[in-house]
Amino acid sequence: MNPLISIIVPVYNTANYLDQCVTSLLQQTYSNCEFIFINDGSTDCSLFILEKYKAKDSRIRIINQENKGVSVARNKGLEIAKGTYIGFVDSDDWIEKHLYSVLLEAIETYSCDLVVSNMKTYFNEKEVITSYNFTKNITLDSDYIKDTILPYLLENDDLFSSCNKLFKASIIKENNIQFPPKNALSEDNIFNMLYFNIIQSMVYIDYTGYNYREVEGSATRNVVQHNYFQNILLMYHFDYKSSMKLKFSEEEIQQIKAIKFLKNVVSLVHIYFNPSNKLSFKERYSFVKEMINNEEVQNEIRHHFGLLFKNSNRYDKFLLKSIKQKSTLKLHLATMYSRYKNR
């Protein structure tokens, strides 16, 4: 018997991209799927588009709710999902027609709790494939997960997406794993860490079937809706030690958290200084000034400056120095020069 796959898709005002997303789902070569669209209070014609497709394909389920955010939407999808396996797709992305056939074959062939694949990102007509240096096409046991995968999750951001994976519904439901509703920008991070921490096995396949669309200006636009810096502070304060079975000392965990925290601060400098008609220059300048003057930012950069500095390129070294010096002006000039150079 072919197992049912539940694919959960939160939708909020993505009418411009929704046709491509839905079509790519309905064209999957593996057909025993249910497509759960959570309309999260869209104010554009997203609901109309979903209903148009639902009239043609009975596998589509639509749930309407007031705007509560992507985490609440995904949790609602998990609550009503009937499938043996769970997949996630964002409504402004699209997938290759063999994606769920390939993921299902892998998770069943290797009899494991999770399958991880690659992801292709599209931004400004450029394509970047995210892949990993994990052992491929072999069952990775709990020791490998604890020794290699969990540390990687702590130190890096490129494995956190839920969309390039296939999960077991039973593990999610039996352990009540959910997306944190109060963390609008790091919801994947915590969900994945909790899932990886519980599973006994996984497989990584060198296959790219998920297409992630980085919409120009979307990060800056979200600055208006969400405080990015507060979200990375939440991740920085997350109690990894008590929540996860980590083979690290408290000191090692703190260093990993601090390094990642500071790298995220550097990334936010670029996001905040990206020109936008949503925020004035004065507002963006104020965001950066407040962030680099934060007591925890300054405390961690004093303690870990040397380690970060020696492993950085010339440009990032200048940014780190500027953060340490609390020089918002230098950061602005550096990012402006970088944008000009990379045009």
Side-chain angles (χ1 to χ4, degrees):
M1 181 177 177
N2 295 330
L4 178 68
I5 301 177
S6 297
I7 302 168
I8 298 169
V9 190
V11 179
Y12 179 70
N13 290 351
T14 51
N16 290 340
Y17 311 107
L18 198 50
D19 279 301
Q20 185 179 20
C21 175
V22 178
T23 300
S24 73
L25 289 166
L26 299 183
Q27 291 178 345
Q28 287 298 290
T29 54
Y30 186 79
S31 60
N32 194 23
C33 301
E34 63 169 357
F35 305 108
I36 303 173
F37 292 91
I38 312 296
N39 179 42
D40 190 33
S42 296
T43 57
D44 63 1
C45 62
S46 292
L47 180 58
F48 173 81
I49 295 171
L50 293 176
E51 289 176 336
K52 176 185 69 174
Y53 284 102
K54 186 177 187 299
K56 300 176 182 178
D57 198 311
S58 61
R59 296 176 297 170
I60 290 179
R61 303 170 66 186
I62 302 173
I63 304 297
N64 289 302
Q65 65 178 32
E66 295 180 0
N67 182 241
K68 298 179 180 178
V70 65
S71 290
V72 174
R74 284 175 171 169
N75 289 338
K76 182 63 178 178
L78 289 172
E79 180 184 325
I80 66 171
K82 300 175 181 177
T84 302
Y85 299 107
I86 303 287
F88 297 96
V89 172
D90 288 340
S91 59
D92 50 358
D93 299 336
W94 74 100
I95 60 177
E96 301 300 323
K97 65 180 182 179
H98 297 297
L99 174 64
Y100 283 104
S101 175
V102 171
L103 295 182
L104 177 64
E105 181 181 7
I107 204 169
E108 299 221 311
T109 298
Y110 296 99
S111 300
C112 57
D113 298 329
L114 174 73
V115 57
V116 176
S117 62
N118 301 332
M119 176 181 287
K120 184 181 290 186
T121 298
Y122 290 83
F123 180 66
N124 284 350
E125 300 182 353
K126 296 179 181 178
E127 301 178 8
V128 177
I129 294 179
T130 299
S131 59
Y132 310 99
N133 290 323
F134 308 142
T135 306
K136 303 178 182 69
N137 303 321
I138 189 172
T139 302
L140 305 174
D141 62 16
S142 59
D143 286 336
Y144 187 95
I145 294 169
K146 298 294 186 295
D147 293 340
T148 303
I149 305 295
L150 285 176
Y152 188 91
L153 276 167
L154 282 174
E155 295 170 357
N156 302 277
D157 289 323
D158 61 5
L159 187 59
F160 274 131
S161 174
S162 299
C163 297
N164 60 338
K165 302 173 178 66
L166 190 63
F167 302 85
K168 274 189 175 178
S170 58
I171 293 176
I172 293 173
K173 293 181 179 182
E174 288 168 9
N175 294 280
N176 194 30
I177 301 174
Q178 294 188 329
F179 293 87
K182 294 183 179 180
N183 196 334
L185 298 173
S186 304
E187 70 281 343
D188 281 349
N189 304 26
I190 294 174
F191 179 88
N192 276 304
M193 284 192 291
L194 295 174
Y195 190 89
F196 274 96
N197 190 52
I198 287 173
I199 61 175
Q200 298 300 307
S201 60
M202 61 167 281
V203 63
Y204 166 56
I205 56 173
D206 190 13
Y207 165 78
T208 308
Y210 192 92
N211 300 297
Y212 172 74
R213 190 195 313 269
E214 180 68 53
V215 181
E216 185 172 11
S218 61
T220 307
R221 182 171 64 250
N222 283 333
V223 168
V224 181
Q225 301 169 340
H226 309 295
N227 189 324
Y228 275 11
F229 181 60
Q230 289 303 315
N231 277 272
I232 68 167
L233 275 174
L234 283 172
M235 288 303 299
Y236 171 71
H237 291 142
F238 185 74
D239 188 356
Y240 295 95
K241 190 69 175 177
S242 63
S243 302
M244 304 171 67
K245 303 168 186 174
L246 297 171
K247 298 180 179 179
F248 297 111
S249 67
E250 291 284 358
E251 292 76 16
E252 289 170 324
I253 292 173
Q254 184 58 36
Q255 177 171 296
I256 292 171
K257 287 171 59 177
I259 296 296
K260 184 173 183 179
F261 175 58
L262 293 171
K263 286 181 178 178
N264 284 334
V265 167
V266 171
S267 296
L268 288 184
V269 168
H270 288 279
I271 291 175
Y272 283 129
F273 273 142
N274 185 41
S276 166
N277 57 10
K278 298 287 183 178
L279 290 173
S280 68
F281 171 75
K282 183 178 179 180
E283 288 173 309
R284 290 183 281 115
Y285 194 92
S286 177
F287 272 123
V288 175
K289 184 176 181 179
E290 182 180 353
M291 178 175 67
I292 66 173
N293 279 276
N294 176 271
E295 182 179 348
E296 287 171 298
V297 171
Q298 286 298 316
N299 181 56
E300 293 298 0
I301 204 162
R302 281 195 301 270
H303 282 85
H304 299 96
F305 181 80
L307 180 60
L308 268 174
F309 192 80
K310 74 176 183 180
N311 293 322
S312 298
N313 59 36
R314 185 178 177 183
Y315 173 69
D316 285 341
K317 285 179 178 178
F318 182 84
L319 294 182
L320 290 169
K321 281 184 178 179
S322 301
I323 292 171
K324 188 177 182 183
Q325 295 166 357
K326 302 182 184 179
S327 177
T328 312
L329 178 60
K330 286 183 179 179
L331 291 170
H332 166 59
L333 294 174
T335 54
M336 186 170 62
Y337 172 75
S338 175
R339 285 195 305 275
Y340 173 79
K341 185 179 178 182
N342 293 315
R343 283 191 307 180

